[in-house]
Amino acid sequence: MHEFFTWGREPYHAVLLFGVYSFFGWMIEVVYRSATQRRFVNAGFLHGPFIPIYGFGAAFILALDHMTAGQPLALRLLLYALVLSAVEYLVGFFFEKSFGLKLWDYSDSRFNLHGRISLLFSFFWTAMAFVFVFLIHPVTTRIVLILDENVIRTASMALLAYLGGDFILSVSTLSVFRKKVAYLYAEYFNLTSVEIETILRSFARLRGAFPNLNRYIDKNINREIKGKIQTFMKTLKYRIESDLEGRRPLGKEFHETVEDILRHKEFLKLKNYFHHNSSIFEHAVNVAYFSYRICKFLKLDYRSAARGGLLHDFFLYDWRNHDEPDLHRDKYHGIEHPRIALENAKKYFQLNEVERDIIIKHMWPLTIAPPRYKESFIVTFADKYLSSKEFFDDFKNYRDISRIRGNRKKPVVRNRPARKKSPAARIQKLKTKPRRRARDEN
C-alpha cells in the first residue's frame, strides 16, 4: 500500500497519486462550498481543480500509517488528528505571514488555536483520514497499477508542470488581491459605484473559495468609513445619541423622507417583535437615522440610506423562535431574513436600486455578494455599530441591576437612617448621569 510514497523508488507514481488526492480534495471542497453558498464555487487557492493541502495530507497520513503499522487503532487515529491539524496550522500560518491574509478562520468555533485549527474540524479530518487509509487509497492504488508506465510518467510530468505554473499564477493573483483591496479602502469615497463593483467582481472567485476574505474586505472598508466620519462622530456623538434615545426630536427632513413607512400599518407591526434590547421597529429607526446622518455628512444619497435602513429588518416574526409560514425552523435567520425583508418591502413600497441593494446585502459579509453602493456599506456599518451598542447597553443594564441587588444585601451604617431607594430609582439615576453630561456638553 505504501510503496508508491517511497519517493526514491516510484517517484512518478507518487506524483500521480498526489495529483489524484489533490483533485479529490478539490471535489470535497467544491461540494461543501457550493452547498453552503447555494451556487457553484471553484474552491481552493489554485485556479485549477486541485487543492495541494489534501495531497500533502495524504502523503503524511500514508507515511505515518506505514510507521505505526501494528499499533492500536486509537493511537493511529490520534496521530492522524495531530498530523493533519499540524499541516492545516502551518499552511494557514504560511499564508498569514507571507501575504497578510487569513484564508480561513475558526475563531468562532470552540476550542480553536489562533483561528487556524479547531477541534471540530480536526475530528472531521481524522474521520476522513480513516476512510482514506482503509477504503480510498487501496482502491486508487489498484487502478494506478493497471496503467502503463509510460502513461504514468507522462501524466506525472505534465501534472508537475501544470501545478507549478498554477501556483505561480495563484500567488500573483493573491498579491494583486491585496493591492486592490488596499486601493479600494484608500480611495473608497473617491470611486464611483461602478468602479467599486468592478474591483469586487475581479476577485469574486477568491471570495467564494475563501469566504473569510469578505470579512477582510469589510473590516478594511469599515475602517475607512470610521476614519472619514471620525470628526463627525466626535462632534455629533451625544447629539445623535440624544436623538435616538428620544431626548430630542428627529430632524424634519428625515421624518418627511420616511413618513409613509413609519405610518404604514404593516411596518408598525415591527413594534410587536423583540430584537436586541428593544423592538425591531426601534432598531430599524435607529439604523435609518444613523445612516441618514452619516450619508448626509459624506454627501451621499441620504434619502435612499434612510429608507433602505428603515426597511432592512422588515420581517414579521420572532427570529429567536421562528417557523412556517415565515421562515422554517431549520433555516438560518441571519442569511434568510434579508430576502424576506426585501420581499415585504417591495410588496408595500416603491424601492429604487440603492434601497434594494441596502436591504438584501445589509448582512454582508455573512451573505456572499458584497454591497454595490456606498450607501449600502454605510447601512451595513451602522447596523453593526448600533447592534453592538445595543448589546453592550443591555449588558451594562444587567450589570447595574446585579450590582444594585448586591448592594441591597449589605447593611448600611450611618448616623441617621438613610432614605431607601427602590432598584428602579437607582437604575434611573445610573441612566440619567451620562444624559446630563451629554446635555451639558451640547
Side-chain angles (χ1 to χ4, degrees), residues 83-180:
V83 169
L84 292 176
S85 298
V87 171
E88 185 178 30
Y89 185 93
L90 292 174
V91 172
F93 179 82
F94 167 78
F95 277 104
E96 289 177 39
K97 297 303 179 182
S98 300
F99 301 100
L101 296 173
K102 208 163 190 175
L103 297 183
W104 61 84
D105 189 2
Y106 299 131
S107 297
D108 295 335
S109 301
R110 298 182 63 185
F111 309 112
N112 72 86
L113 181 60
H114 304 146
R116 300 184 186 116
I117 57 176
S118 74
L119 183 63
L120 177 61
F121 276 86
S122 294
F123 171 79
F124 289 153
W125 304 142
T126 305
M128 290 174 59
F130 176 82
V131 174
F132 168 74
V133 168
F134 294 99
L135 180 61
I136 297 176
H137 183 63
V139 174
T140 306
T141 52
R142 283 198 293 269
I143 295 174
V144 170
L145 285 173
I146 301 173
L147 300 177
D148 182 76
E149 289 295 327
N150 292 327
V151 173
I152 293 176
R153 186 179 294 107
T154 303
S156 299
M157 295 175 65
L159 182 63
L160 279 177
Y162 173 81
L163 291 176
D166 198 347
F167 179 78
I168 295 173
L169 178 62
S170 299
V171 169
S172 175
T173 301
L174 204 59
S175 300
V176 172
F177 168 81
R178 285 193 62 200
K179 292 178 181 178
K180 283 188 175 183

Side-chain angles (χ1 to χ4, degrees), residues 184 188 191-200 374 377:
L184 180 64
Y188 185 72
L191 299 175
T192 65
S193 296
V194 175
E195 290 172 326
I196 293 172
E197 186 178 12
T198 301
I199 292 174
L200 291 174
K374 298 175 185 178
F377 272 110

Side-chain angles (χ1 to χ4, degrees), residues 406-419:
N407 291 339
R408 290 181 64 185
K409 297 178 182 179
K410 297 179 181 179
V412 179
V413 180
R414 290 191 178 126
N415 294 331
R416 57 182 181 179
R419 183 180 178 181

Side-chain angles (χ1 to χ4, degrees), residues 10 15 199 201 288 351 370:
E10 297 289 350
V15 171
I199 292 174
R201 193 187 298 118
L351 305 176

Side-chain angles (χ1 to χ4, degrees), residues 61 64 68 71 74-85:
I61 288 299
L64 182 65
T68 58
Q71 297 297 324
L75 175 62
R76 294 162 70 183
L77 292 176
L78 177 62
L79 293 175
Y80 293 166
L82 293 175
V83 169
L84 292 176
S85 298

Side-chain angles (χ1 to χ4, degrees), residues 139-274:
V139 174
T140 306
T141 52
R142 283 198 293 269
I143 295 174
V144 170
L145 285 173
I146 301 173
L147 300 177
D148 182 76
E149 289 295 327
N150 292 327
V151 173
I152 293 176
R153 186 179 294 107
T154 303
S156 299
M157 295 175 65
L159 182 63
L160 279 177
Y162 173 81
L163 291 176
D166 198 347
F167 179 78
I168 295 173
L169 178 62
S170 299
V171 169
S172 175
T173 301
L174 204 59
S175 300
V176 172
F177 168 81
R178 285 193 62 200
K179 292 178 181 178
K180 283 188 175 183
V181 172
Y183 173 75
L184 180 64
Y185 72 74
E187 300 292 333
Y188 185 72
F189 288 100
N190 298 322
L191 299 175
T192 65
S193 296
V194 175
E195 290 172 326
I196 293 172
E197 186 178 12
T198 301
I199 292 174
L200 291 174
R201 193 187 298 118
S202 66
F203 39 77
R205 193 200 73 81
L206 271 178
R207 291 190 295 104
F210 300 101
N212 190 64
L213 293 179
N214 285 325
R215 298 183 183 180
Y216 174 80
I217 299 170
D218 182 64
K219 178 181 177 182
N220 283 287
I221 292 179
N222 279 343
R223 185 188 306 164
E224 177 65 8
I225 293 173
K226 289 178 183 177
K228 289 288 184 182
I229 66 174
Q230 187 173 14
T231 304
F232 168 75
M233 290 290 288
K234 286 181 178 179
T235 57
L236 296 179
K237 177 181 178 182
Y238 293 112
R239 188 179 303 172
I240 291 177
E241 290 183 355
S242 297
D243 293 346
L244 296 181
E245 294 175 14
R247 297 198 298 272
R248 299 161 54 127
L250 299 182
K252 180 180 178 182
E253 184 182 47
F254 174 76
H255 259 301
E256 292 175 348
T257 302
V258 299
E259 185 176 10
D260 61 315
I261 302 176
L262 291 175
R263 291 185 176 182
H264 198 281
K265 63 178 182 179
E266 288 297 320
F267 188 79
L268 289 173
K269 291 179 180 179
L270 294 180
K271 292 183 177 182
N272 301 325
Y273 299 98
F274 188 75

